[in-house]
Amino acid sequence: MTEYLSYTFNDSEEFISTFDELSLWSASFGLLLFKHLELKPNLTVIDIGSGAGFPLMELAGRLGNSCKLYGLDPWINANKRAKQKIKNYGLSNVEIIESSAEQIPFDDNSIDLIVSNLGINNFDNPQIVFKECNRVLKSKGKLALTTNLCGHWKEFYNIFYTTLKQLKKDDLVVALKKEEEHRGTVESVSKLYTDNGFKFCRYYEESFEMKFLDGSVFLNHYFVKLGWITSWLNIFPKESLEEIFSALEQNLNSYANENNGLTFTVPMAFFEGEKI
Ligand SMILES: C[S@@+](CC[C@H](N)C(=O)[O-])C[C@H]1O[C@@H](n2cnc3c(N)ncnc32)[C@H](O)[C@@H]1O
């Protein structure tokens, strides 16, 4: 039943070759990004955490050849795929740079716009990334990003907390709370801007829902395993995993049975700041 507990992400060419061009997950945030991003000619742009090429290729297509775009990501196999897309799509205004945004290989004051779709929760040190973005941006250059916010899948976390309490593992609730709350809030993200040399200009909040038939399919969904399962497994003692996740799966399934499936809310926001 808990086969997903032994999941490890196999970062191989075989995997990436079937990794969809754009997951529905990334697409929801990308739509929010494109809804609010201002498109202008003659921009030099970096997409931080460009992964397999989103929103980089789409933005390159929408901005056209007066603009030059760079995708920055340390993920080797995703970068290979992104490079293949540049070739397949015949894009002449995009390059991929294999690098961490903690050390952006560009001169000071050289970039007009930096975007990042779903990057911020994945950076080990967002403060350093924001400082680097500020260094390479020209004066009045923009940093626009989208992210999911604290409150992500709150319905799931509530069932998870109840499960831990039922198992008399109240001590583990704190660890789960910490994992849940590592996501930003409007206040914490705006502070990242203002602490690192930006004027915080605007933000827009939205949310969407993800539905699953039951807890078993949720925990076995390939993207849930890829994106979240490891962070949950890492916070609990190894010897308790089987007990915790069996009980969680059962509770999710009972809830789904009584409520016509599972519906999890994803709060998200677009943020934009300008280099002072
Ligand atoms: C959730 S994925 C988002 C990928 C893509 N932007 C999308 O919308 O689908 C986060 C990306 O950030 C990248 N990443 C993590 N740490 C990074 C860093 N320090 N600098 C640049 N990219 C980083 C990961 O390799 C991954 O591709």
Side-chain angles (χ1 to χ4, degrees), residues 49-84:
S50 48
F54 185 79
L56 182 63
M57 307 304 158
E58 185 62 28
L59 189 54
R62 293 190 189 201
L63 283 172
N65 285 341
S66 75
C67 298
K68 174 79 194 195
L69 295 89
Y70 299 90
L72 202 78
D73 203 302
W75 186 4
I76 295 167
N77 278 330
N79 287 338
K80 276 188 197 162
R81 186 168 162 84
K83 284 179 188 165
Q84 190 60 42

PDB file of all heavy atoms in Angstrom, residues 49-84:
ATOM      1  N   GLY A  49      15.697  29.475 -12.740  1.00  0.00           N
ATOM      2  CA  GLY A  49      15.031  28.200 -12.489  1.00  0.00           C
ATOM      3  C   GLY A  49      14.197  27.833 -13.703  1.00  0.00           C
ATOM      4  O   GLY A  49      13.040  27.440 -13.589  1.00  0.00           O
ATOM      5  N   SER A  50      14.827  27.945 -14.883  1.00  0.00           N
ATOM      6  CA  SER A  50      14.084  27.737 -16.141  1.00  0.00           C
ATOM      7  C   SER A  50      13.790  26.263 -16.407  1.00  0.00           C
ATOM      8  O   SER A  50      12.987  25.946 -17.288  1.00  0.00           O
ATOM      9  CB  SER A  50      14.857  28.340 -17.319  1.00  0.00           C
ATOM     10  OG  SER A  50      16.209  27.952 -17.284  1.00  0.00           O
ATOM     11  N   GLY A  51      14.408  25.360 -15.661  1.00  0.00           N
ATOM     12  CA  GLY A  51      14.093  23.932 -15.742  1.00  0.00           C
ATOM     13  C   GLY A  51      14.083  23.417 -17.173  1.00  0.00           C
ATOM     14  O   GLY A  51      15.003  23.643 -17.953  1.00  0.00           O
ATOM     15  N   ALA A  52      13.016  22.727 -17.539  1.00  0.00           N
ATOM     16  CA  ALA A  52      12.914  22.145 -18.878  1.00  0.00           C
ATOM     17  C   ALA A  52      12.518  23.187 -19.935  1.00  0.00           C
ATOM     18  O   ALA A  52      12.272  22.838 -21.083  1.00  0.00           O
ATOM     19  CB  ALA A  52      11.924  20.997 -18.865  1.00  0.00           C
ATOM     20  N   GLY A  53      12.438  24.465 -19.529  1.00  0.00           N
ATOM     21  CA  GLY A  53      12.246  25.517 -20.539  1.00  0.00           C
ATOM     22  C   GLY A  53      10.992  26.357 -20.391  1.00  0.00           C
ATOM     23  O   GLY A  53      10.610  27.045 -21.335  1.00  0.00           O
ATOM     24  N   PHE A  54      10.383  26.326 -19.223  1.00  0.00           N
ATOM     25  CA  PHE A  54       9.194  27.149 -19.011  1.00  0.00           C
ATOM     26  C   PHE A  54       9.421  28.112 -17.850  1.00  0.00           C
ATOM     27  O   PHE A  54       9.934  27.683 -16.812  1.00  0.00           O
ATOM     28  CB  PHE A  54       7.960  26.283 -18.721  1.00  0.00           C
ATOM     29  CG  PHE A  54       6.701  27.102 -18.621  1.00  0.00           C
ATOM     30  CD1 PHE A  54       6.052  27.544 -19.765  1.00  0.00           C
ATOM     31  CD2 PHE A  54       6.188  27.456 -17.377  1.00  0.00           C
ATOM     32  CE1 PHE A  54       4.911  28.325 -19.673  1.00  0.00           C
ATOM     33  CE2 PHE A  54       5.042  28.238 -17.282  1.00  0.00           C
ATOM     34  CZ  PHE A  54       4.405  28.662 -18.430  1.00  0.00           C
ATOM     35  N   PRO A  55       9.044  29.364 -17.984  1.00  0.00           N
ATOM     36  CA  PRO A  55       8.340  30.011 -19.097  1.00  0.00           C
ATOM     37  C   PRO A  55       9.277  30.524 -20.199  1.00  0.00           C
ATOM     38  O   PRO A  55       8.828  31.258 -21.085  1.00  0.00           O
ATOM     39  CB  PRO A  55       7.622  31.175 -18.420  1.00  0.00           C
ATOM     40  CG  PRO A  55       8.546  31.564 -17.297  1.00  0.00           C
ATOM     41  CD  PRO A  55       9.158  30.283 -16.815  1.00  0.00           C
ATOM     42  N   LEU A  56      10.548  30.148 -20.114  1.00  0.00           N
ATOM     43  CA  LEU A  56      11.574  30.730 -20.992  1.00  0.00           C
ATOM     44  C   LEU A  56      11.199  30.718 -22.476  1.00  0.00           C
ATOM     45  O   LEU A  56      11.228  31.755 -23.146  1.00  0.00           O
ATOM     46  CB  LEU A  56      12.890  29.963 -20.757  1.00  0.00           C
ATOM     47  CG  LEU A  56      14.095  30.430 -21.544  1.00  0.00           C
ATOM     48  CD1 LEU A  56      14.481  31.855 -21.182  1.00  0.00           C
ATOM     49  CD2 LEU A  56      15.273  29.491 -21.290  1.00  0.00           C
ATOM     50  N   MET A  57      10.863  29.514 -23.014  1.00  0.00           N
ATOM     51  CA  MET A  57      10.609  29.428 -24.467  1.00  0.00           C
ATOM     52  C   MET A  57       9.355  30.218 -24.861  1.00  0.00           C
ATOM     53  O   MET A  57       9.306  30.866 -25.894  1.00  0.00           O
ATOM     54  CB  MET A  57      10.413  27.972 -24.917  1.00  0.00           C
ATOM     55  CG  MET A  57      11.509  27.031 -24.524  1.00  0.00           C
ATOM     56  SD  MET A  57      13.123  27.548 -25.105  1.00  0.00           S
ATOM     57  CE  MET A  57      14.141  26.647 -23.958  1.00  0.00           C
ATOM     58  N   GLU A  58       8.344  30.131 -23.993  1.00  0.00           N
ATOM     59  CA  GLU A  58       7.094  30.848 -24.274  1.00  0.00           C
ATOM     60  C   GLU A  58       7.346  32.359 -24.268  1.00  0.00           C
ATOM     61  O   GLU A  58       6.880  33.089 -25.154  1.00  0.00           O
ATOM     62  CB  GLU A  58       6.048  30.457 -23.217  1.00  0.00           C
ATOM     63  CG  GLU A  58       4.665  31.015 -23.444  1.00  0.00           C
ATOM     64  CD  GLU A  58       4.024  30.541 -24.757  1.00  0.00           C
ATOM     65  OE1 GLU A  58       4.357  29.443 -25.237  1.00  0.00           O
ATOM     66  OE2 GLU A  58       3.194  31.317 -25.303  1.00  0.00           O
ATOM     67  N   LEU A  59       8.122  32.818 -23.303  1.00  0.00           N
ATOM     68  CA  LEU A  59       8.430  34.243 -23.199  1.00  0.00           C
ATOM     69  C   LEU A  59       9.268  34.683 -24.396  1.00  0.00           C
ATOM     70  O   LEU A  59       9.056  35.774 -24.944  1.00  0.00           O
ATOM     71  CB  LEU A  59       9.177  34.504 -21.879  1.00  0.00           C
ATOM     72  CG  LEU A  59       9.405  35.956 -21.477  1.00  0.00           C
ATOM     73  CD1 LEU A  59       8.100  36.750 -21.443  1.00  0.00           C
ATOM     74  CD2 LEU A  59      10.085  36.039 -20.103  1.00  0.00           C
ATOM     75  N   ALA A  60      10.213  33.832 -24.816  1.00  0.00           N
ATOM     76  CA  ALA A  60      11.040  34.156 -25.984  1.00  0.00           C
ATOM     77  C   ALA A  60      10.155  34.307 -27.214  1.00  0.00           C
ATOM     78  O   ALA A  60      10.335  35.219 -28.030  1.00  0.00           O
ATOM     79  CB  ALA A  60      12.071  33.063 -26.206  1.00  0.00           C
ATOM     80  N   GLY A  61       9.180  33.408 -27.345  1.00  0.00           N
ATOM     81  CA  GLY A  61       8.260  33.467 -28.479  1.00  0.00           C
ATOM     82  C   GLY A  61       7.376  34.697 -28.427  1.00  0.00           C
ATOM     83  O   GLY A  61       7.020  35.270 -29.452  1.00  0.00           O
ATOM     84  N   ARG A  62       7.018  35.111 -27.224  1.00  0.00           N
ATOM     85  CA  ARG A  62       6.106  36.261 -27.098  1.00  0.00           C
ATOM     86  C   ARG A  62       6.844  37.599 -27.210  1.00  0.00           C
ATOM     87  O   ARG A  62       6.251  38.600 -27.588  1.00  0.00           O
ATOM     88  CB  ARG A  62       5.362  36.183 -25.766  1.00  0.00           C
ATOM     89  CG  ARG A  62       4.407  35.008 -25.720  1.00  0.00           C
ATOM     90  CD  ARG A  62       3.493  35.073 -24.519  1.00  0.00           C
ATOM     91  NE  ARG A  62       2.722  33.844 -24.365  1.00  0.00           N
ATOM     92  CZ  ARG A  62       1.604  33.773 -23.676  1.00  0.00           C
ATOM     93  NH1 ARG A  62       1.118  34.830 -23.082  1.00  0.00           N
ATOM     94  NH2 ARG A  62       0.961  32.626 -23.574  1.00  0.00           N
ATOM     95  N   LEU A  63       8.141  37.610 -26.834  1.00  0.00           N
ATOM     96  CA  LEU A  63       8.902  38.864 -26.900  1.00  0.00           C
ATOM     97  C   LEU A  63       9.539  39.070 -28.271  1.00  0.00           C
ATOM     98  O   LEU A  63       9.723  40.200 -28.712  1.00  0.00           O
ATOM     99  CB  LEU A  63       9.996  38.881 -25.821  1.00  0.00           C
ATOM    100  CG  LEU A  63       9.525  39.181 -24.395  1.00  0.00           C
ATOM    101  CD1 LEU A  63      10.670  38.972 -23.403  1.00  0.00           C
ATOM    102  CD2 LEU A  63       8.982  40.601 -24.271  1.00  0.00           C
ATOM    103  N   GLY A  64       9.938  37.986 -28.914  1.00  0.00           N
ATOM    104  CA  GLY A  64      10.520  38.105 -30.255  1.00  0.00           C
ATOM    105  C   GLY A  64      11.985  38.495 -30.247  1.00  0.00           C
ATOM    106  O   GLY A  64      12.621  38.611 -29.196  1.00  0.00           O
ATOM    107  N   ASN A  65      12.505  38.761 -31.457  1.00  0.00           N
ATOM    108  CA  ASN A  65      13.958  38.845 -31.631  1.00  0.00           C
ATOM    109  C   ASN A  65      14.593  40.171 -31.251  1.00  0.00           C
ATOM    110  O   ASN A  65      15.820  40.282 -31.265  1.00  0.00           O
ATOM    111  CB  ASN A  65      14.336  38.502 -33.082  1.00  0.00           C
ATOM    112  CG  ASN A  65      14.220  37.008 -33.307  1.00  0.00           C
ATOM    113  OD1 ASN A  65      14.206  36.232 -32.343  1.00  0.00           O
ATOM    114  ND2 ASN A  65      14.123  36.596 -34.559  1.00  0.00           N
ATOM    115  N   SER A  66      13.789  41.157 -30.851  1.00  0.00           N
ATOM    116  CA  SER A  66      14.454  42.378 -30.348  1.00  0.00           C
ATOM    117  C   SER A  66      14.958  42.115 -28.924  1.00  0.00           C
ATOM    118  O   SER A  66      15.748  42.881 -28.388  1.00  0.00           O
ATOM    119  CB  SER A  66      13.497  43.577 -30.364  1.00  0.00           C
ATOM    120  OG  SER A  66      12.565  43.495 -29.308  1.00  0.00           O
ATOM    121  N   CYS A  67      14.511  41.036 -28.318  1.00  0.00           N
ATOM    122  CA  CYS A  67      14.904  40.710 -26.939  1.00  0.00           C
ATOM    123  C   CYS A  67      15.840  39.508 -26.919  1.00  0.00           C
ATOM    124  O   CYS A  67      15.762  38.633 -27.787  1.00  0.00           O
ATOM    125  CB  CYS A  67      13.668  40.390 -26.088  1.00  0.00           C
ATOM    126  SG  CYS A  67      12.546  41.783 -25.943  1.00  0.00           S
ATOM    127  N   LYS A  68      16.709  39.477 -25.909  1.00  0.00           N
ATOM    128  CA  LYS A  68      17.611  38.335 -25.737  1.00  0.00           C
ATOM    129  C   LYS A  68      17.316  37.720 -24.374  1.00  0.00           C
ATOM    130  O   LYS A  68      17.238  38.428 -23.362  1.00  0.00           O
ATOM    131  CB  LYS A  68      19.063  38.836 -25.802  1.00  0.00           C
ATOM    132  CG  LYS A  68      20.096  37.780 -25.508  1.00  0.00           C
ATOM    133  CD  LYS A  68      20.343  36.881 -26.693  1.00  0.00           C
ATOM    134  CE  LYS A  68      21.107  35.647 -26.272  1.00  0.00           C
ATOM    135  NZ  LYS A  68      21.685  34.878 -27.319  1.00  0.00           N
ATOM    136  N   LEU A  69      17.120  36.375 -24.357  1.00  0.00           N
ATOM    137  CA  LEU A  69      16.740  35.720 -23.104  1.00  0.00           C
ATOM    138  C   LEU A  69      17.755  34.657 -22.717  1.00  0.00           C
ATOM    139  O   LEU A  69      18.299  33.960 -23.590  1.00  0.00           O
ATOM    140  CB  LEU A  69      15.361  35.059 -23.228  1.00  0.00           C
ATOM    141  CG  LEU A  69      14.181  36.001 -23.443  1.00  0.00           C
ATOM    142  CD1 LEU A  69      13.941  36.256 -24.921  1.00  0.00           C
ATOM    143  CD2 LEU A  69      12.911  35.443 -22.804  1.00  0.00           C
ATOM    144  N   TYR A  70      17.964  34.510 -21.405  1.00  0.00           N
ATOM    145  CA  TYR A  70      18.855  33.481 -20.873  1.00  0.00           C
ATOM    146  C   TYR A  70      18.089  32.674 -19.829  1.00  0.00           C
ATOM    147  O   TYR A  70      17.423  33.253 -18.961  1.00  0.00           O
ATOM    148  CB  TYR A  70      20.077  34.109 -20.203  1.00  0.00           C
ATOM    149  CG  TYR A  70      20.905  34.938 -21.147  1.00  0.00           C
ATOM    150  CD1 TYR A  70      20.639  36.306 -21.306  1.00  0.00           C
ATOM    151  CD2 TYR A  70      21.930  34.362 -21.890  1.00  0.00           C
ATOM    152  CE1 TYR A  70      21.377  37.076 -22.187  1.00  0.00           C
ATOM    153  CE2 TYR A  70      22.680  35.135 -22.775  1.00  0.00           C
ATOM    154  CZ  TYR A  70      22.398  36.482 -22.915  1.00  0.00           C
ATOM    155  OH  TYR A  70      23.134  37.239 -23.796  1.00  0.00           O
ATOM    156  N   GLY A  71      18.208  31.345 -19.906  1.00  0.00           N
ATOM    157  CA  GLY A  71      17.635  30.471 -18.885  1.00  0.00           C
ATOM    158  C   GLY A  71      18.751  30.028 -17.967  1.00  0.00           C
ATOM    159  O   GLY A  71      19.784  29.548 -18.433  1.00  0.00           O
ATOM    160  N   LEU A  72      18.539  30.186 -16.664  1.00  0.00           N
ATOM    161  CA  LEU A  72      19.585  29.853 -15.694  1.00  0.00           C
ATOM    162  C   LEU A  72      19.076  28.748 -14.787  1.00  0.00           C
ATOM    163  O   LEU A  72      18.059  28.918 -14.103  1.00  0.00           O
ATOM    164  CB  LEU A  72      19.840  31.117 -14.860  1.00  0.00           C
ATOM    165  CG  LEU A  72      21.162  31.224 -14.150  1.00  0.00           C
ATOM    166  CD1 LEU A  72      22.228  31.625 -15.154  1.00  0.00           C
ATOM    167  CD2 LEU A  72      21.062  32.290 -13.060  1.00  0.00           C
ATOM    168  N   ASP A  73      19.757  27.625 -14.778  1.00  0.00           N
ATOM    169  CA  ASP A  73      19.334  26.519 -13.921  1.00  0.00           C
ATOM    170  C   ASP A  73      20.506  25.548 -13.765  1.00  0.00           C
ATOM    171  O   ASP A  73      21.199  25.266 -14.741  1.00  0.00           O
ATOM    172  CB  ASP A  73      18.121  25.781 -14.552  1.00  0.00           C
ATOM    173  CG  ASP A  73      17.307  25.018 -13.525  1.00  0.00           C
ATOM    174  OD1 ASP A  73      17.877  24.140 -12.843  1.00  0.00           O
ATOM    175  OD2 ASP A  73      16.108  25.293 -13.374  1.00  0.00           O
ATOM    176  N   PRO A  74      20.714  25.009 -12.556  1.00  0.00           N
ATOM    177  CA  PRO A  74      21.808  24.048 -12.387  1.00  0.00           C
ATOM    178  C   PRO A  74      21.413  22.618 -12.775  1.00  0.00           C
ATOM    179  O   PRO A  74      22.260  21.716 -12.748  1.00  0.00           O
ATOM    180  CB  PRO A  74      22.110  24.122 -10.874  1.00  0.00           C
ATOM    181  CG  PRO A  74      20.865  24.638 -10.242  1.00  0.00           C
ATOM    182  CD  PRO A  74      20.069  25.384 -11.285  1.00  0.00           C
ATOM    183  N   TRP A  75      20.161  22.373 -13.147  1.00  0.00           N
ATOM    184  CA  TRP A  75      19.651  21.010 -13.382  1.00  0.00           C
ATOM    185  C   TRP A  75      20.075  20.533 -14.779  1.00  0.00           C
ATOM    186  O   TRP A  75      19.508  20.968 -15.800  1.00  0.00           O
ATOM    187  CB  TRP A  75      18.133  21.038 -13.242  1.00  0.00           C
ATOM    188  CG  TRP A  75      17.451  19.709 -13.304  1.00  0.00           C
ATOM    189  CD1 TRP A  75      18.013  18.466 -13.398  1.00  0.00           C
ATOM    190  CD2 TRP A  75      16.025  19.494 -13.282  1.00  0.00           C
ATOM    191  NE1 TRP A  75      17.048  17.504 -13.421  1.00  0.00           N
ATOM    192  CE2 TRP A  75      15.818  18.098 -13.354  1.00  0.00           C
ATOM    193  CE3 TRP A  75      14.914  20.342 -13.202  1.00  0.00           C
ATOM    194  CZ2 TRP A  75      14.538  17.541 -13.353  1.00  0.00           C
ATOM    195  CZ3 TRP A  75      13.645  19.792 -13.198  1.00  0.00           C
ATOM    196  CH2 TRP A  75      13.464  18.406 -13.270  1.00  0.00           C
ATOM    197  N   ILE A  76      21.057  19.641 -14.811  1.00  0.00           N
ATOM    198  CA  ILE A  76      21.723  19.262 -16.062  1.00  0.00           C
ATOM    199  C   ILE A  76      20.755  18.650 -17.082  1.00  0.00           C
ATOM    200  O   ILE A  76      20.701  19.087 -18.241  1.00  0.00           O
ATOM    201  CB  ILE A  76      22.886  18.281 -15.769  1.00  0.00           C
ATOM    202  CG1 ILE A  76      23.958  19.012 -14.946  1.00  0.00           C
ATOM    203  CG2 ILE A  76      23.500  17.720 -17.054  1.00  0.00           C
ATOM    204  CD1 ILE A  76      24.997  18.107 -14.322  1.00  0.00           C
ATOM    205  N   ASN A  77      19.992  17.643 -16.686  1.00  0.00           N
ATOM    206  CA  ASN A  77      19.113  16.965 -17.659  1.00  0.00           C
ATOM    207  C   ASN A  77      17.981  17.872 -18.152  1.00  0.00           C
ATOM    208  O   ASN A  77      17.592  17.805 -19.316  1.00  0.00           O
ATOM    209  CB  ASN A  77      18.545  15.674 -17.062  1.00  0.00           C
ATOM    210  CG  ASN A  77      19.545  14.539 -17.181  1.00  0.00           C
ATOM    211  OD1 ASN A  77      20.357  14.504 -18.106  1.00  0.00           O
ATOM    212  ND2 ASN A  77      19.518  13.614 -16.229  1.00  0.00           N
ATOM    213  N   ALA A  78      17.474  18.723 -17.263  1.00  0.00           N
ATOM    214  CA  ALA A  78      16.428  19.655 -17.695  1.00  0.00           C
ATOM    215  C   ALA A  78      17.010  20.646 -18.701  1.00  0.00           C
ATOM    216  O   ALA A  78      16.354  20.995 -19.698  1.00  0.00           O
ATOM    217  CB  ALA A  78      15.846  20.383 -16.492  1.00  0.00           C
ATOM    218  N   ASN A  79      18.247  21.084 -18.464  1.00  0.00           N
ATOM    219  CA  ASN A  79      18.890  22.019 -19.395  1.00  0.00           C
ATOM    220  C   ASN A  79      19.077  21.389 -20.774  1.00  0.00           C
ATOM    221  O   ASN A  79      18.915  22.068 -21.796  1.00  0.00           O
ATOM    222  CB  ASN A  79      20.248  22.472 -18.846  1.00  0.00           C
ATOM    223  CG  ASN A  79      20.079  23.443 -17.691  1.00  0.00           C
ATOM    224  OD1 ASN A  79      19.043  24.083 -17.560  1.00  0.00           O
ATOM    225  ND2 ASN A  79      21.093  23.552 -16.854  1.00  0.00           N
ATOM    226  N   LYS A  80      19.402  20.092 -20.794  1.00  0.00           N
ATOM    227  CA  LYS A  80      19.561  19.407 -22.094  1.00  0.00           C
ATOM    228  C   LYS A  80      18.257  19.480 -22.872  1.00  0.00           C
ATOM    229  O   LYS A  80      18.218  19.714 -24.069  1.00  0.00           O
ATOM    230  CB  LYS A  80      19.894  17.920 -21.859  1.00  0.00           C
ATOM    231  CG  LYS A  80      21.356  17.663 -21.628  1.00  0.00           C
ATOM    232  CD  LYS A  80      21.600  16.160 -21.619  1.00  0.00           C
ATOM    233  CE  LYS A  80      22.941  15.868 -20.981  1.00  0.00           C
ATOM    234  NZ  LYS A  80      23.081  14.486 -20.557  1.00  0.00           N
ATOM    235  N   ARG A  81      17.160  19.240 -22.160  1.00  0.00           N
ATOM    236  CA  ARG A  81      15.852  19.271 -22.806  1.00  0.00           C
ATOM    237  C   ARG A  81      15.511  20.684 -23.287  1.00  0.00           C
ATOM    238  O   ARG A  81      14.985  20.869 -24.389  1.00  0.00           O
ATOM    239  CB  ARG A  81      14.800  18.760 -21.825  1.00  0.00           C
ATOM    240  CG  ARG A  81      13.427  18.606 -22.411  1.00  0.00           C
ATOM    241  CD  ARG A  81      12.566  17.837 -21.438  1.00  0.00           C
ATOM    242  NE  ARG A  81      11.165  18.010 -21.729  1.00  0.00           N
ATOM    243  CZ  ARG A  81      10.491  17.304 -22.620  1.00  0.00           C
ATOM    244  NH1 ARG A  81      11.093  16.359 -23.288  1.00  0.00           N
ATOM    245  NH2 ARG A  81       9.214  17.533 -22.817  1.00  0.00           N
ATOM    246  N   ALA A  82      15.845  21.654 -22.465  1.00  0.00           N
ATOM    247  CA  ALA A  82      15.582  23.050 -22.848  1.00  0.00           C
ATOM    248  C   ALA A  82      16.376  23.397 -24.113  1.00  0.00           C
ATOM    249  O   ALA A  82      15.849  24.048 -25.030  1.00  0.00           O
ATOM    250  CB  ALA A  82      15.953  23.984 -21.697  1.00  0.00           C
ATOM    251  N   LYS A  83      17.627  22.925 -24.179  1.00  0.00           N
ATOM    252  CA  LYS A  83      18.454  23.227 -25.366  1.00  0.00           C
ATOM    253  C   LYS A  83      17.859  22.575 -26.612  1.00  0.00           C
ATOM    254  O   LYS A  83      17.870  23.139 -27.705  1.00  0.00           O
ATOM    255  CB  LYS A  83      19.888  22.732 -25.151  1.00  0.00           C
ATOM    256  CG  LYS A  83      20.676  23.638 -24.225  1.00  0.00           C
ATOM    257  CD  LYS A  83      22.087  23.120 -24.015  1.00  0.00           C
ATOM    258  CE  LYS A  83      22.784  23.923 -22.932  1.00  0.00           C
ATOM    259  NZ  LYS A  83      23.992  23.305 -22.432  1.00  0.00           N
ATOM    260  N   GLN A  84      17.324  21.359 -26.428  1.00  0.00           N
ATOM    261  CA  GLN A  84      16.688  20.672 -27.559  1.00  0.00           C
ATOM    262  C   GLN A  84      15.468  21.464 -28.046  1.00  0.00           C
ATOM    263  O   GLN A  84      15.194  21.538 -29.245  1.00  0.00           O
ATOM    264  CB  GLN A  84      16.292  19.237 -27.144  1.00  0.00           C
ATOM    265  CG  GLN A  84      15.840  18.355 -28.287  1.00  0.00           C
ATOM    266  CD  GLN A  84      16.917  18.171 -29.362  1.00  0.00           C
ATOM    267  OE1 GLN A  84      18.087  17.980 -29.048  1.00  0.00           O
ATOM    268  NE2 GLN A  84      16.526  18.265 -30.626  1.00  0.00           N
TER     269      GLN A  84
END
